[in-house]
Amino acid sequence: MLRRPSGPGRDKMPYGQKIVPKFIIYAAEGLQKVDTKGWRLRIEGNVEKPLSLAYSDLLELASDRGRFDFHCVTGWSVMGRVWEGISLKHLIHMAKPRPSVNWVAIVSTGGYTTVIPLEESLRDESMVALLLDGRPLPEENGYPARIFIPSLYGWKHAKWVEKIVLLDEYVDGYWEALSYHERGRVSLEERFKVRNVEVAREGRLLGKPRPLKPGTILE
Ligand SMILES: Nc1nc2c(c(=O)[nH]1)N[C@H]1C(S)=C(S)[C@@H](COP(=O)(O)O)O[C@H]1N2
Ligand SMILES: [Mo]
């Protein structure tokens, strides 16, 4: 594992993050408007009991609530907002995933996708969020439903979510295909995929880099 320097404030704020007062709105696919009439959230993939839930079903199930910080991988953080919804653990258990499931793919209305390790999805604080500070999510923050997993960077918190697909094997989502990390843990600063397996395993480089001879052609 790569080690991180410790220092003042390290415990309060994750490394490399700065506090901003409001959410900066991102929508790689363009802002979406979702009408909850006829809208369903589906939980499918390698499960025994695929689920299809209406917004009213979700509101009834919503019993998870907590004050959490939100960290975007580009370096901004919005602290201490109240997020409320349905525990992902609860939803996933309802769908009865087969034992070989390891990954959770999230699909949004407008085609944005991301992927989350099953074990991060099963953390107590991971949820499908419906309310922010006691009110339905504002449209631009993902109404009617978005993923909220405080242990992971913001790109994993897909907005306007409509499908949760349980998979055995890893697949890239939108940002993962552009080299963002498979897991994306904030506390470990997992921003980008680690391509050098030795660095990832050992947390150090093997040997010293040697200066190249002038005229060396790199292929
Ligand atoms: N559908 C969708 N969800 C998304 C994104 C996106 O582009 N499309 N961007 C992600 C990123 S990178 C961040 S940091 C957060 C930002 O949340 P906000 O737009 O509510 O501030 O949304 C995440 N969820
Ligand atoms: Mo982000």
Side-chain angles (χ1 to χ4, degrees):
M1 192 194 301
L2 289 170
R3 278 170 216 291
R4 285 287 152 202
S6 57
R10 180 74 186 89
D11 296 340
K12 287 195 207 89
M13 271 307 278
Y15 198 80
Q17 296 299 119
K18 284 213 170 76
I19 296 172
V20 297
K22 327 190 268 183
F23 290 95
I24 298 170
I25 304 301
Y26 288 151
E29 72 278 47
L31 287 174
Q32 304 293 306
K33 263 190 192 301
V34 175
D35 184 351
T36 50
K37 227 194 284 155
W39 176 90
R40 317 285 291 185
L41 175 70
R42 288 173 214 283
I43 295 112
E44 54 186 51
N46 195 8
V47 298
E48 278 172 40
K49 274 193 64 175
L51 304 175
S52 166
L53 300 162
Y55 186 54
S56 54
D57 301 331
L58 293 176
L59 285 172
E60 249 169 62
L61 288 170
S63 63
D64 250 51
R65 188 163 185 270
R67 197 176 279 282
F68 297 110
D69 305 337
F70 174 98
H71 307 287
C72 170
V73 71
T74 61
W76 57 268
S77 299
V78 173
M79 311 297 278
R81 307 292 290 268
V82 178
W83 293 89
E84 195 167 342
I86 308 129
S87 131
L88 258 174
K89 179 158 64 177
H90 183 57
L91 281 177
I92 290 171
H93 283 163
M94 278 170 69
K96 295 191 188 297
R98 300 221 163 75
S100 51
V101 165
N102 275 313
W103 293 92
V104 182
I106 313 290
V107 182
S108 296
T109 307
Y112 182 86
T113 52
T114 189
V115 63
I116 296 157
L118 180 67
E119 55 174 354
E120 296 289 326
S121 311
L122 298 181
R123 291 166 82 99
D124 285 343
E125 65 281 11
S126 302
M127 64 172 100
V128 171
L130 305 175
L131 308 179
L132 176 56
D133 293 331
R135 296 204 194 90
L137 282 170
E139 236 168 32
E140 67 273 20
N141 295 110
Y143 177 86
R146 79 181 290 170
I147 300 299
F148 187 77
I149 303 186
S151 56
L152 305 183
Y153 284 115
W155 87 83
K156 303 285 189 185
H157 304 210
K159 305 193 285 186
W160 311 294
V161 56
E162 64 173 31
K163 252 197 269 180
I164 297 174
V165 190
L166 301 185
L167 300 174
D168 294 1
E169 303 289 333
Y170 173 82
V171 286
D172 278 333
Y174 178 84
W175 284 112
E176 290 83 9
L178 295 167
S179 88
Y180 283 72
H181 200 276
E182 294 89 336
R183 181 168 64 176
R185 271 259 193 100
V186 177
S187 61
L188 299 172
E189 262 206 278
E190 291 172 338
R191 295 172 194 267
F192 299 103
K193 283 175 179 156
V194 177
R195 299 197 181 278
N196 185 323
V197 175
E198 291 306 326
V199 173
R201 258 192 219 133
E202 311 281 337
R204 65 185 167 80
L205 292 166
L206 296 172
K208 280 191 203 143
R210 262 182 297 151
L212 294 173
K213 285 195 191 108
T216 305
I217 294 162
L218 293 175
E219 292 190 74

